[in-house]
Amino acid sequence: MRKPLRIEHAKVAGLFIDLQEEHRHDERYLVEGYDTVLRNAARLQAVARRNGIPVFHCAYIVDLADHARPFHPAGPDGRSAFSDKDDPLTAICPEVAPRASERLLVKNEASAFGKSPLIAELRERGVEWLVVAGVWTEACVDATVKDAINLGLHVLLVKDACGSGGLAMHQTGILNLANRLYGGAVVDTQAACALMDGDMVEAWQIEGSVPLRFTFENAAEIYGQL
């Protein structure tokens, strides 16, 4: 259901998940529409910075020598099949890269919370709302959003600043999160920027439990209504 929403500047932070070069250069891990995701993420960052809203970044970097994982996909050389620590494509794309004053968190699991100090740093700043963008929607974004909710944060999920390996994967990932986005809202980049500017917008906010029942045939239509 769409309802009016306004967020206090002092209680907001932005989190940008795994916007790394491998998703536009490694044929195995390309994100569909990645250029649009990056443009929208850059817009969000610009508005956050203009309003003094803290911006956090995270990058998925795997070192199997330090973190043994029996079922993790690896190449013949024993290195991680994706996001390996020695792969230059783990670099964050320059158009959305952290500024010197911004926090970059390196993670080796799906969620940006996990063993990281992120939640402590957010609480220290008095953050209650987390603006979330990044990739992949049904993987690292999903895990991060669910952890954020469980940790008591309101999540503003920016649907067109997220992406995945295919449009269907992304859209159903957003719908699945929307069905469990307790205390949060789903918006597009334009609405998220308006909220960070202090405006009131109409935002999709969950009511009840699992309100969106979608099929293969109507998933795209319902996604468009969020």
Side-chain angles (χ1 to χ4, degrees), residues 64-81:
L64 291 180
D66 285 347
H67 301 88
R69 301 179 184 182
F71 305 117
H72 187 90
D77 57 2
R79 295 168 51 189
S80 174

Side-chain angles (χ1 to χ4, degrees), residues 50-184:
R50 187 178 71 230
N51 286 296
I53 293 170
V55 175
F56 291 79
H57 308 255
C58 58
Y60 200 149
I61 298 178
V62 180
D63 183 354
L64 291 180
D66 285 347
H67 301 88
R69 301 179 184 182
F71 305 117
H72 187 90
D77 57 2
R79 295 168 51 189
S80 174
F82 59 87
S83 306
D84 184 80
K85 67 180 182 64
D86 295 320
D87 188 343
L89 295 182
T90 58
I92 293 180
C93 298
E95 58 265 61
V96 291
R99 292 190 174 177
S101 60
E102 294 171 352
R103 188 77 160 95
L104 170 61
L105 297 156
V106 173
K107 62 187 180 70
N108 55 26
E109 56 190 294
S111 175
F113 291 96
K115 302 178 182 66
S116 86
L118 178 58
I119 187 59
E121 295 183 19
L122 293 173
R123 285 175 175 158
E124 184 178 352
R125 292 173 178 262
V127 171
E128 296 181 5
W129 277 89
L130 195 60
V131 180
V132 173
V135 299
W136 286 23
T137 310
E138 80 288 357
C140 295
V141 173
D142 180 276
T144 299
V145 168
K146 288 175 178 174
D147 278 353
I149 295 168
N150 289 337
L151 290 165
L153 293 169
H154 300 279
V155 172
L156 190 70
L157 181 60
V158 188
K159 66 178 187 177
D160 57 349
C162 296
S164 187
L167 186 60
M169 296 167 71
H170 164 67
Q171 291 183 345
T172 55
I174 292 289
L175 292 174
N176 283 324
L177 278 173
N179 265 332
R180 293 159 180 84
L181 198 63
Y182 308 119

Side-chain angles (χ1 to χ4, degrees), residues 12-14 16 42-55 102 131 192-193 196-197:
V12 185
F16 297 87
R43 286 179 60 195
L44 295 170
Q45 291 177 2
V47 173
R49 289 163 181 154
R50 187 178 71 230
N51 286 296
I53 293 170
V55 175
E102 294 171 352
V131 180
C193 290
M196 288 191 287
D197 276 333

Side-chain angles (χ1 to χ4, degrees), residues 3 178-183 204-212:
K3 296 186 291 185
N179 265 332
R180 293 159 180 84
L181 198 63
Y182 308 119
W204 191 91
Q205 299 168 67
I206 188 171
E207 284 195 356
S209 177
V210 196
L212 303 174

